[in-house]
Amino acid sequence: MPLNPFEAIVIGSGATGGVAAMTLAEAGLRVLVVEAGPNRSIAEAFGREPGNSVKRAEGLLSGRHRRQARHPGYWKQNPDLYADERQYPYSTPDDQPFLWTQGRQVGGRSLTWGGITLRLSDYEFQGADQDGYGQNWPITHADLDPHYSALEQLFEVRGGRDGLEQLPDGRTAPAIPFMPEEERFRELLTKERGIPFIHSRGFEAHQRSETSLWPRSSSNGSSLQRALATGRVEILSNSMAERLDMDPAGERASAVVVVNRSTGERQRLECNLVVVCASTIATLRFLLQSERQAISGGFNDPSGLLGKGVMDHVSCCRFFSVASETGRGAAQQSDPSSTLSGAGSFFLPFGNAPEVCAGRPFLRGYGIWGAINRFDPPWWLKRNPDRRLGFLIGHGEVLSDIRNQVCLSERCDPLNVPMPHISCRWRANENAMVRDMQDTIEDCINVAGGVTTSLADQLNLPLVKPLVGKALAAQEDAPPPGYYIHEVGGAAMGASEEHSVVDRWNRLWRCPNVLVVDGACWPSSGWQSPTLTMMAITRRACQAAVTPGSD
């Protein structure tokens, strides 16, 4: 394949990479998508049992998945969708663990994404106006609204229209009905506490068919597929983007240097536009490696903030049980739409509304995601087959702090590229928020007549109990940063080059033909699941890049 006739290079092929390729190709550009991992077939991507379980055992014993195995998704998906940590290493301070989940294949982490699609509100975009902390975003909900809407319709997102200022409504298909136990939970919380209780918004559980092989929540089954259909997109897989090459004046990127993962050969790929969406940590490593402090002739970051202000969502989880309203049988067997999914679940969207946050001993807010009777094991495996299992998970906004950062390690990966060093920890505000989350969750369970329990105690499987009991989701305290795979920040967008890394159109201030559109560009984290907003930002930035006079 000739590799130099392309007008744009997109780095990464996941949720944002797929949207970038689709948007640019549909505008008429010839696009090369660079992906560090392989281009797997459907059979290779999803595997089957018992083969997936064998590979999990091998991944743990070999050290390939020592950290990533701590995420629940690892135990229900093909472990090949989780990167080999020996090939993609990173480091952290001994007292600051960070769980970086990496999806190194065409489709990236969109192949393991839970599919929740929530919009951010102006309480997040303009959060500094509310409490004086940090920086506002240089955009508002109105700037992203047409892009949110276009993507929701493309993806056939499902959800309700709830009229909440803290969670703007989307252009969604009808919501998936609540399970009877969820409906009862809603009635009690609404009556006793007046808590908003809404249908989650997102993708329904994927049902494979001849016309829908890949999940629509994956770029392979949606945006990237549509991009490839234009005939103007090629994918270069098994090639990691190492750094930018700049023009002699150091004001524009002239090429991307990529490393072939099989041979170690480096290649210079020329283009007019570079869109960086490799996922937050990988994007920061690429930018740090391209900045002039790391390489002679690199781009200039006048803010000095590149890599600083990394965030995730701080979280806590509680499992509980309620009396069954539907007998002992598994509802999912007769109704696949009742399976736990981005749309098949519910939210308690407290958010950042001032009336909600007033009087709390912390800044910003959180929401609680939950479900009941959507993931029950067979009744004969349950200690009490007449009760249904549920969970509540709090996701809270983390404050941007320059001490939470990514820098380049002195150690290199197997391709001789400096690996990222991640320093990130929960601080006083996050710890206070988690305590409030825990109290709120316990109160909700009690009001609804539930019984707080551990997942392990619900199963008649003594050999499994020690493994489940050690899972981070089952612990009392908040899991470490990275656990919920919502990391953002480090190359924040803003209104001036003194206080941000990219401008309001996601362009590097001193290198405007490079767009940073994934989570790295976020100046604050919000509490909502971030992927839909990342994709909306990508669509907006790419459209502007190919539209004359859009600045």
Side-chain angles (χ1 to χ4, degrees), residues 91-93 95-98 133 280-281 284 288 304-314 396-408 421-431 480-482 487-492 501 519-520 522-525:
S91 60
T92 68
D95 62 343
Q96 297 182 45
F98 190 100
Y133 187 91
T280 296
I281 305 299
L284 294 177
L288 288 163
L305 294 174
L306 179 60
K308 299 178 180 177
V310 173
M311 300 160 281
D312 188 23
H313 281 150
V314 66
E397 177 162 349
V398 169
L399 300 181
S400 177
D401 188 309
I402 61 172
R403 294 172 292 179
N404 291 338
Q405 62 179 306
V406 172
C407 61
L408 295 178
H421 181 76
I422 308 169
S423 302
C424 187
R425 67 172 7 138
W426 304 139
R427 302 185 188 277
N429 197 74
E430 288 77 55
N431 291 329
E487 64 270 12
V488 295
V501 177
W522 288 40
S524 62
S525 70

Short mmCIF file of all heavy atoms in Angstrom, two decimals, residues 91-93 95-98 133 280-281 284 288 304-314 396-408 421-431 480-482 487-492 501 519-520 522-525:
data_model
loop_
_atom_site.label_atom_id
_atom_site.label_comp_id
_atom_site.label_asym_id
_atom_site.label_seq_id
_atom_site.Cartn_x
_atom_site.Cartn_y
_atom_site.Cartn_z
N SER A 91 4.80 3.14 33.88
CA SER A 91 5.25 3.11 35.27
C SER A 91 4.44 4.10 36.10
O SER A 91 3.83 5.04 35.56
CB SER A 91 6.74 3.43 35.37
OG SER A 91 7.03 4.73 34.85
N THR A 92 4.44 3.88 37.41
CA THR A 92 3.79 4.78 38.36
C THR A 92 4.66 4.86 39.62
O THR A 92 5.47 3.96 39.87
CB THR A 92 2.39 4.27 38.77
OG1 THR A 92 2.54 3.08 39.55
CG2 THR A 92 1.52 3.98 37.56
N PRO A 93 4.50 5.89 40.43
CA PRO A 93 5.13 5.86 41.75
C PRO A 93 4.59 4.68 42.55
O PRO A 93 3.45 4.25 42.35
CB PRO A 93 4.71 7.20 42.37
CG PRO A 93 4.36 8.08 41.21
CD PRO A 93 3.80 7.17 40.17
N ASP A 95 3.49 4.45 45.46
CA ASP A 95 2.32 4.72 46.30
C ASP A 95 1.16 5.33 45.51
O ASP A 95 0.19 5.82 46.10
CB ASP A 95 2.71 5.66 47.44
CG ASP A 95 3.19 7.02 46.96
OD1 ASP A 95 3.54 7.15 45.77
OD2 ASP A 95 3.21 7.96 47.78
N GLN A 96 1.24 5.30 44.17
CA GLN A 96 0.17 5.89 43.36
C GLN A 96 -0.21 4.94 42.21
O GLN A 96 0.08 5.20 41.05
CB GLN A 96 0.61 7.24 42.78
CG GLN A 96 0.88 8.30 43.84
CD GLN A 96 1.27 9.63 43.23
OE1 GLN A 96 0.65 10.09 42.29
NE2 GLN A 96 2.29 10.26 43.77
N PRO A 97 -0.87 3.84 42.51
CA PRO A 97 -1.24 2.91 41.44
C PRO A 97 -2.21 3.56 40.46
O PRO A 97 -3.06 4.38 40.85
CB PRO A 97 -1.91 1.76 42.19
CG PRO A 97 -2.38 2.37 43.47
CD PRO A 97 -1.37 3.41 43.84
N PHE A 98 -2.07 3.20 39.21
CA PHE A 98 -2.97 3.65 38.16
C PHE A 98 -3.24 2.45 37.26
O PHE A 98 -2.30 1.81 36.78
CB PHE A 98 -2.36 4.80 37.34
CG PHE A 98 -3.33 5.46 36.39
CD1 PHE A 98 -3.93 6.67 36.74
CD2 PHE A 98 -3.65 4.90 35.16
CE1 PHE A 98 -4.83 7.29 35.88
CE2 PHE A 98 -4.54 5.50 34.30
CZ PHE A 98 -5.13 6.72 34.66
N TYR A 133 -13.30 27.20 40.79
CA TYR A 133 -12.16 26.29 40.69
C TYR A 133 -11.81 26.02 39.24
O TYR A 133 -12.68 25.70 38.41
CB TYR A 133 -12.43 24.96 41.39
CG TYR A 133 -11.21 24.07 41.45
CD1 TYR A 133 -10.34 24.13 42.54
CD2 TYR A 133 -10.89 23.22 40.39
CE1 TYR A 133 -9.20 23.35 42.58
CE2 TYR A 133 -9.75 22.43 40.43
CZ TYR A 133 -8.90 22.51 41.53
OH TYR A 133 -7.77 21.74 41.56
N THR A 280 -6.33 8.89 25.96
CA THR A 280 -5.70 9.98 26.71
C THR A 280 -4.22 9.73 27.01
O THR A 280 -3.37 10.56 26.69
CB THR A 280 -6.47 10.22 28.02
OG1 THR A 280 -7.80 10.67 27.69
CG2 THR A 280 -5.78 11.27 28.88
N ILE A 281 -3.89 8.63 27.64
CA ILE A 281 -2.50 8.40 28.06
C ILE A 281 -1.59 8.24 26.85
O ILE A 281 -0.50 8.81 26.79
CB ILE A 281 -2.39 7.17 28.98
CG1 ILE A 281 -3.35 7.30 30.18
CG2 ILE A 281 -0.95 7.00 29.46
CD1 ILE A 281 -3.10 8.48 31.07
N LEU A 284 -1.03 11.60 25.21
CA LEU A 284 -0.08 12.44 25.95
C LEU A 284 1.35 11.96 25.71
O LEU A 284 2.27 12.79 25.54
CB LEU A 284 -0.42 12.44 27.43
CG LEU A 284 -1.75 13.10 27.81
CD1 LEU A 284 -2.01 12.97 29.30
CD2 LEU A 284 -1.77 14.56 27.39
N LEU A 288 4.10 14.44 24.18
CA LEU A 288 5.31 14.72 24.95
C LEU A 288 6.55 14.33 24.16
O LEU A 288 7.58 15.01 24.22
CB LEU A 288 5.27 13.96 26.29
CG LEU A 288 4.28 14.50 27.33
CD1 LEU A 288 4.02 13.46 28.41
CD2 LEU A 288 4.78 15.80 27.94
N GLY A 304 3.29 25.25 29.08
CA GLY A 304 4.02 24.37 30.00
C GLY A 304 3.13 23.39 30.73
O GLY A 304 3.55 22.76 31.71
N LEU A 305 1.89 23.21 30.25
CA LEU A 305 0.91 22.36 30.94
C LEU A 305 0.73 21.00 30.31
O LEU A 305 -0.07 20.18 30.80
CB LEU A 305 -0.45 23.08 30.99
CG LEU A 305 -0.50 24.36 31.82
CD1 LEU A 305 -1.86 25.04 31.66
CD2 LEU A 305 -0.22 24.06 33.29
N LEU A 306 1.45 20.72 29.22
CA LEU A 306 1.27 19.43 28.56
C LEU A 306 1.58 18.29 29.52
O LEU A 306 2.64 18.24 30.15
CB LEU A 306 2.18 19.35 27.33
CG LEU A 306 2.11 18.04 26.54
CD1 LEU A 306 0.70 17.80 26.01
CD2 LEU A 306 3.11 18.07 25.39
N GLY A 307 0.66 17.36 29.64
CA GLY A 307 0.81 16.21 30.53
C GLY A 307 0.26 16.44 31.93
O GLY A 307 0.12 15.47 32.69
N LYS A 308 -0.11 17.69 32.26
CA LYS A 308 -0.54 18.00 33.62
C LYS A 308 -2.06 18.13 33.72
O LYS A 308 -2.73 18.54 32.77
CB LYS A 308 0.13 19.29 34.08
CG LYS A 308 1.65 19.18 34.12
CD LYS A 308 2.31 20.48 34.53
CE LYS A 308 3.83 20.32 34.55
NZ LYS A 308 4.53 21.58 34.88
N GLY A 309 -2.59 17.79 34.89
CA GLY A 309 -4.02 17.89 35.11
C GLY A 309 -4.79 16.66 34.65
O GLY A 309 -5.95 16.76 34.24
N VAL A 310 -4.18 15.49 34.73
CA VAL A 310 -4.86 14.25 34.36
C VAL A 310 -5.94 13.92 35.39
O VAL A 310 -5.74 14.10 36.60
CB VAL A 310 -3.85 13.09 34.24
CG1 VAL A 310 -4.56 11.76 34.03
CG2 VAL A 310 -2.87 13.36 33.11
N MET A 311 -7.09 13.45 34.91
CA MET A 311 -8.23 13.14 35.77
C MET A 311 -8.81 11.79 35.38
O MET A 311 -8.54 11.25 34.33
CB MET A 311 -9.31 14.23 35.61
CG MET A 311 -8.87 15.63 35.97
SD MET A 311 -9.95 16.91 35.23
CE MET A 311 -9.34 16.95 33.53
N ASP A 312 -9.62 11.24 36.26
CA ASP A 312 -10.45 10.07 35.98
C ASP A 312 -11.75 10.32 36.73
O ASP A 312 -11.96 11.42 37.27
CB ASP A 312 -9.75 8.79 36.44
CG ASP A 312 -10.46 7.51 36.01
OD1 ASP A 312 -11.21 7.57 35.03
OD2 ASP A 312 -10.28 6.46 36.65
N HIS A 313 -12.63 9.37 36.80
CA HIS A 313 -13.79 9.48 37.68
C HIS A 313 -13.50 8.71 38.96
O HIS A 313 -13.00 7.58 38.92
CB HIS A 313 -15.04 8.90 37.02
CG HIS A 313 -15.65 9.84 36.03
ND1 HIS A 313 -16.34 9.42 34.92
CD2 HIS A 313 -15.68 11.20 36.00
CE1 HIS A 313 -16.77 10.47 34.25
NE2 HIS A 313 -16.38 11.56 34.88
N VAL A 314 -13.79 9.35 40.08
CA VAL A 314 -13.68 8.64 41.36
C VAL A 314 -14.99 7.90 41.58
O VAL A 314 -16.07 8.42 41.28
CB VAL A 314 -13.36 9.62 42.50
CG1 VAL A 314 -14.50 10.60 42.77
CG2 VAL A 314 -12.97 8.87 43.76
N GLY A 396 -17.96 10.20 40.11
CA GLY A 396 -17.85 11.58 40.54
C GLY A 396 -16.79 12.36 39.80
O GLY A 396 -15.77 11.82 39.37
N GLU A 397 -17.04 13.67 39.67
CA GLU A 397 -16.09 14.55 38.99
C GLU A 397 -14.82 14.70 39.83
O GLU A 397 -14.88 14.93 41.05
CB GLU A 397 -16.70 15.93 38.74
CG GLU A 397 -15.73 16.89 38.10
CD GLU A 397 -16.38 18.11 37.45
OE1 GLU A 397 -17.61 18.11 37.30
OE2 GLU A 397 -15.63 19.03 37.11
N VAL A 398 -13.68 14.57 39.17
CA VAL A 398 -12.38 14.73 39.80
C VAL A 398 -11.83 16.10 39.41
O VAL A 398 -11.89 16.49 38.23
CB VAL A 398 -11.41 13.62 39.36
CG1 VAL A 398 -9.98 13.90 39.78
CG2 VAL A 398 -11.87 12.29 39.93
N LEU A 399 -11.31 16.85 40.37
CA LEU A 399 -10.77 18.17 40.08
C LEU A 399 -9.43 18.07 39.36
O LEU A 399 -8.61 17.22 39.68
CB LEU A 399 -10.59 18.96 41.37
CG LEU A 399 -11.85 19.20 42.21
CD1 LEU A 399 -11.49 20.02 43.45
CD2 LEU A 399 -12.94 19.90 41.40
N SER A 400 -9.25 18.95 38.39
CA SER A 400 -7.96 19.02 37.71
C SER A 400 -6.90 19.54 38.67
O SER A 400 -7.11 20.55 39.34
CB SER A 400 -8.07 19.93 36.49
OG SER A 400 -6.82 20.06 35.84
N ASP A 401 -5.77 18.84 38.74
CA ASP A 401 -4.67 19.20 39.65
C ASP A 401 -3.37 18.94 38.90
O ASP A 401 -3.14 17.83 38.41
CB ASP A 401 -4.75 18.34 40.92
CG ASP A 401 -3.78 18.78 42.00
OD1 ASP A 401 -2.58 18.93 41.70
OD2 ASP A 401 -4.22 18.97 43.15
N ILE A 402 -2.51 19.96 38.80
CA ILE A 402 -1.29 19.80 38.00
C ILE A 402 -0.35 18.74 38.57
O ILE A 402 0.55 18.26 37.87
CB ILE A 402 -0.55 21.14 37.83
CG1 ILE A 402 -0.10 21.70 39.19
CG2 ILE A 402 -1.39 22.14 37.07
CD1 ILE A 402 0.81 22.92 39.05
N ARG A 403 -0.56 18.34 39.82
CA ARG A 403 0.27 17.28 40.39
C ARG A 403 -0.09 15.92 39.83
O ARG A 403 0.71 14.98 39.91
CB ARG A 403 0.14 17.28 41.92
CG ARG A 403 0.69 18.53 42.60
CD ARG A 403 0.35 18.54 44.07
NE ARG A 403 -1.08 18.72 44.28
CZ ARG A 403 -1.67 18.76 45.50
NH1 ARG A 403 -0.92 18.60 46.59
NH2 ARG A 403 -2.98 18.93 45.60
N ASN A 404 -1.29 15.80 39.29
CA ASN A 404 -1.71 14.55 38.62
C ASN A 404 -1.29 14.66 37.16
O ASN A 404 -1.86 15.45 36.41
CB ASN A 404 -3.22 14.36 38.72
CG ASN A 404 -3.67 14.05 40.14
OD1 ASN A 404 -2.88 13.59 40.97
ND2 ASN A 404 -4.92 14.30 40.43
N GLN A 405 -0.29 13.90 36.76
CA GLN A 405 0.30 14.14 35.46
C GLN A 405 0.88 12.89 34.82
O GLN A 405 1.10 11.87 35.48
CB GLN A 405 1.39 15.20 35.57
CG GLN A 405 2.56 14.79 36.46
CD GLN A 405 3.64 15.85 36.51
OE1 GLN A 405 4.14 16.29 35.47
NE2 GLN A 405 3.98 16.30 37.71
N VAL A 406 1.14 13.02 33.51
CA VAL A 406 1.86 12.02 32.73
C VAL A 406 3.13 12.68 32.22
O VAL A 406 3.11 13.80 31.70
CB VAL A 406 1.03 11.51 31.55
CG1 VAL A 406 1.86 10.61 30.64
CG2 VAL A 406 -0.20 10.76 32.04
N CYS A 407 4.26 12.00 32.38
CA CYS A 407 5.53 12.47 31.81
C CYS A 407 6.20 11.28 31.13
O CYS A 407 5.71 10.15 31.19
CB CYS A 407 6.42 13.09 32.87
SG CYS A 407 6.90 11.96 34.21
N LEU A 408 7.31 11.54 30.48
CA LEU A 408 8.05 10.46 29.82
C LEU A 408 9.03 9.83 30.80
O LEU A 408 9.78 10.52 31.49
CB LEU A 408 8.81 11.00 28.61
CG LEU A 408 7.96 11.53 27.45
CD1 LEU A 408 8.85 12.08 26.35
CD2 LEU A 408 7.04 10.44 26.91
N HIS A 421 5.00 7.67 32.28
CA HIS A 421 5.04 7.56 33.74
C HIS A 421 3.85 8.34 34.26
O HIS A 421 3.74 9.55 34.03
CB HIS A 421 6.34 8.13 34.29
CG HIS A 421 6.45 8.02 35.78
ND1 HIS A 421 6.74 6.84 36.43
CD2 HIS A 421 6.29 8.97 36.75
CE1 HIS A 421 6.76 7.04 37.74
NE2 HIS A 421 6.49 8.33 37.96
N ILE A 422 2.94 7.66 34.96
CA ILE A 422 1.67 8.24 35.39
C ILE A 422 1.70 8.47 36.89
O ILE A 422 1.84 7.52 37.67
CB ILE A 422 0.49 7.33 35.02
CG1 ILE A 422 0.55 6.94 33.53
CG2 ILE A 422 -0.84 8.02 35.34
CD1 ILE A 422 -0.44 5.83 33.16
N SER A 423 1.53 9.73 37.29
CA SER A 423 1.46 10.08 38.71
C SER A 423 0.07 10.66 38.97
O SER A 423 -0.24 11.77 38.52
CB SER A 423 2.52 11.12 39.08
OG SER A 423 3.82 10.66 38.78
N CYS A 424 -0.77 9.93 39.67
CA CYS A 424 -2.15 10.38 39.87
C CYS A 424 -2.69 9.75 41.15
O CYS A 424 -2.55 8.55 41.36
CB CYS A 424 -3.01 9.99 38.66
SG CYS A 424 -4.68 10.65 38.67
N ARG A 425 -3.31 10.55 41.98
CA ARG A 425 -3.91 10.02 43.21
C ARG A 425 -5.16 10.80 43.56
O ARG A 425 -5.34 11.95 43.15
CB ARG A 425 -2.91 10.10 44.37
CG ARG A 425 -2.58 11.51 44.79
CD ARG A 425 -1.73 11.65 46.06
NE ARG A 425 -1.20 10.46 46.62
CZ ARG A 425 0.05 10.33 47.12
NH1 ARG A 425 0.89 11.38 47.04
NH2 ARG A 425 0.44 9.22 47.66
N TRP A 426 -6.04 10.15 44.32
CA TRP A 426 -7.21 10.86 44.85
C TRP A 426 -6.75 11.80 45.96
O TRP A 426 -5.89 11.45 46.78
CB TRP A 426 -8.23 9.89 45.41
CG TRP A 426 -8.74 8.83 44.47
CD1 TRP A 426 -8.96 7.52 44.77
CD2 TRP A 426 -9.12 8.99 43.10
NE1 TRP A 426 -9.46 6.85 43.68
CE2 TRP A 426 -9.56 7.73 42.63
CE3 TRP A 426 -9.12 10.07 42.21
CZ2 TRP A 426 -10.01 7.53 41.33
CZ3 TRP A 426 -9.57 9.86 40.90
CH2 TRP A 426 -10.00 8.61 40.49
N ARG A 427 -7.37 12.95 45.99
CA ARG A 427 -7.01 13.94 47.00
C ARG A 427 -8.21 14.24 47.88
O ARG A 427 -9.22 13.54 47.83
CB ARG A 427 -6.42 15.17 46.31
CG ARG A 427 -5.20 14.78 45.47
CD ARG A 427 -4.48 15.94 44.82
NE ARG A 427 -3.46 15.44 43.89
CZ ARG A 427 -2.24 15.06 44.23
NH1 ARG A 427 -1.87 15.15 45.51
NH2 ARG A 427 -1.38 14.61 43.34
N ALA A 428 -8.11 15.26 48.72
CA ALA A 428 -9.12 15.49 49.76
C ALA A 428 -10.52 15.64 49.19
O ALA A 428 -11.49 15.11 49.74
CB ALA A 428 -8.75 16.72 50.59
N ASN A 429 -10.66 16.36 48.08
CA ASN A 429 -12.00 16.58 47.51
C ASN A 429 -12.63 15.26 47.06
O ASN A 429 -13.82 15.00 47.29
CB ASN A 429 -11.92 17.56 46.34
CG ASN A 429 -13.27 18.14 45.99
OD1 ASN A 429 -13.79 19.00 46.71
ND2 ASN A 429 -13.86 17.69 44.89
N GLU A 430 -11.82 14.43 46.40
CA GLU A 430 -12.34 13.14 45.93
C GLU A 430 -12.70 12.22 47.10
O GLU A 430 -13.73 11.53 47.06
CB GLU A 430 -11.31 12.44 45.03
CG GLU A 430 -11.16 13.08 43.66
CD GLU A 430 -10.33 14.34 43.69
OE1 GLU A 430 -9.18 14.29 44.19
OE2 GLU A 430 -10.82 15.40 43.22
N ASN A 431 -11.89 12.22 48.14
CA ASN A 431 -12.18 11.37 49.29
C ASN A 431 -13.47 11.80 49.99
O ASN A 431 -14.26 10.95 50.43
CB ASN A 431 -11.00 11.40 50.27
CG ASN A 431 -9.77 10.70 49.71
OD1 ASN A 431 -9.89 9.75 48.94
ND2 ASN A 431 -8.59 11.15 50.10
N PRO A 480 -8.46 2.57 42.57
CA PRO A 480 -7.47 3.58 42.18
C PRO A 480 -7.82 4.24 40.86
O PRO A 480 -8.66 3.73 40.10
CB PRO A 480 -6.17 2.76 42.07
CG PRO A 480 -6.63 1.36 41.81
CD PRO A 480 -7.91 1.21 42.55
N PRO A 481 -7.20 5.38 40.55
CA PRO A 481 -7.45 6.03 39.26
C PRO A 481 -7.20 5.08 38.09
O PRO A 481 -6.33 4.22 38.14
CB PRO A 481 -6.44 7.19 39.27
CG PRO A 481 -6.19 7.47 40.71
CD PRO A 481 -6.26 6.14 41.40
N GLY A 482 -7.98 5.28 37.04
CA GLY A 482 -7.88 4.45 35.86
C GLY A 482 -8.86 3.30 35.83
O GLY A 482 -9.15 2.76 34.76
N GLU A 487 -10.27 8.09 31.96
CA GLU A 487 -9.21 9.07 32.14
C GLU A 487 -9.27 10.16 31.08
O GLU A 487 -9.52 9.89 29.91
CB GLU A 487 -7.83 8.41 32.16
CG GLU A 487 -7.42 7.74 30.86
CD GLU A 487 -7.83 6.28 30.76
OE1 GLU A 487 -8.63 5.83 31.60
OE2 GLU A 487 -7.36 5.60 29.82
N VAL A 488 -9.10 11.39 31.52
CA VAL A 488 -9.12 12.55 30.63
C VAL A 488 -8.09 13.56 31.12
O VAL A 488 -7.54 13.44 32.22
CB VAL A 488 -10.52 13.23 30.60
CG1 VAL A 488 -11.57 12.32 29.99
CG2 VAL A 488 -10.96 13.67 31.99
N GLY A 489 -7.82 14.60 30.28
CA GLY A 489 -6.97 15.71 30.68
C GLY A 489 -5.52 15.54 30.29
O GLY A 489 -5.10 14.51 29.78
N GLY A 490 -4.74 16.60 30.52
CA GLY A 490 -3.31 16.58 30.22
C GLY A 490 -2.93 17.41 29.01
O GLY A 490 -1.77 17.77 28.83
N ALA A 491 -3.92 17.73 28.14
CA ALA A 491 -3.68 18.62 26.99
C ALA A 491 -4.93 19.48 26.83
O ALA A 491 -5.59 19.47 25.80
CB ALA A 491 -3.39 17.83 25.72
N ALA A 492 -5.26 20.21 27.89
CA ALA A 492 -6.55 20.87 28.01
C ALA A 492 -6.78 21.91 26.92
O ALA A 492 -5.87 22.62 26.50
CB ALA A 492 -6.68 21.53 29.38
N VAL A 501 -3.38 23.87 26.28
CA VAL A 501 -2.50 23.25 25.29
C VAL A 501 -3.09 23.34 23.89
O VAL A 501 -2.37 23.48 22.90
CB VAL A 501 -2.23 21.77 25.67
CG1 VAL A 501 -1.37 21.07 24.62
CG2 VAL A 501 -1.54 21.71 27.04
N GLY A 519 -9.93 12.27 25.04
CA GLY A 519 -10.07 12.76 26.40
C GLY A 519 -8.94 13.65 26.87
O GLY A 519 -9.11 14.40 27.84
N ALA A 520 -7.79 13.62 26.21
CA ALA A 520 -6.65 14.44 26.64
C ALA A 520 -6.99 15.93 26.63
O ALA A 520 -6.41 16.70 27.39
CB ALA A 520 -5.44 14.16 25.75
N TRP A 522 -9.60 17.51 27.63
CA TRP A 522 -10.61 17.97 28.60
C TRP A 522 -9.98 18.81 29.71
O TRP A 522 -9.05 18.35 30.39
CB TRP A 522 -11.32 16.77 29.23
CG TRP A 522 -12.27 16.07 28.31
CD1 TRP A 522 -12.09 15.81 26.99
CD2 TRP A 522 -13.53 15.51 28.66
NE1 TRP A 522 -13.17 15.13 26.48
CE2 TRP A 522 -14.07 14.93 27.48
CE3 TRP A 522 -14.26 15.44 29.84
CZ2 TRP A 522 -15.32 14.30 27.46
CZ3 TRP A 522 -15.49 14.80 29.82
CH2 TRP A 522 -16.01 14.24 28.65
N PRO A 523 -10.51 20.02 29.97
CA PRO A 523 -10.01 20.82 31.10
C PRO A 523 -10.63 20.42 32.44
O PRO A 523 -10.09 20.76 33.50
CB PRO A 523 -10.40 22.25 30.72
CG PRO A 523 -11.53 22.11 29.78
CD PRO A 523 -11.38 20.80 29.07
N SER A 524 -11.78 19.76 32.42
CA SER A 524 -12.38 19.22 33.64
C SER A 524 -13.07 17.91 33.28
O SER A 524 -13.34 17.65 32.10
CB SER A 524 -13.38 20.21 34.26
OG SER A 524 -14.46 20.46 33.38
N SER A 525 -13.37 17.09 34.28
CA SER A 525 -13.78 15.72 33.97
C SER A 525 -15.28 15.52 33.88
O SER A 525 -15.73 14.54 33.30
CB SER A 525 -13.20 14.76 35.01
OG SER A 525 -13.84 14.94 36.27
#
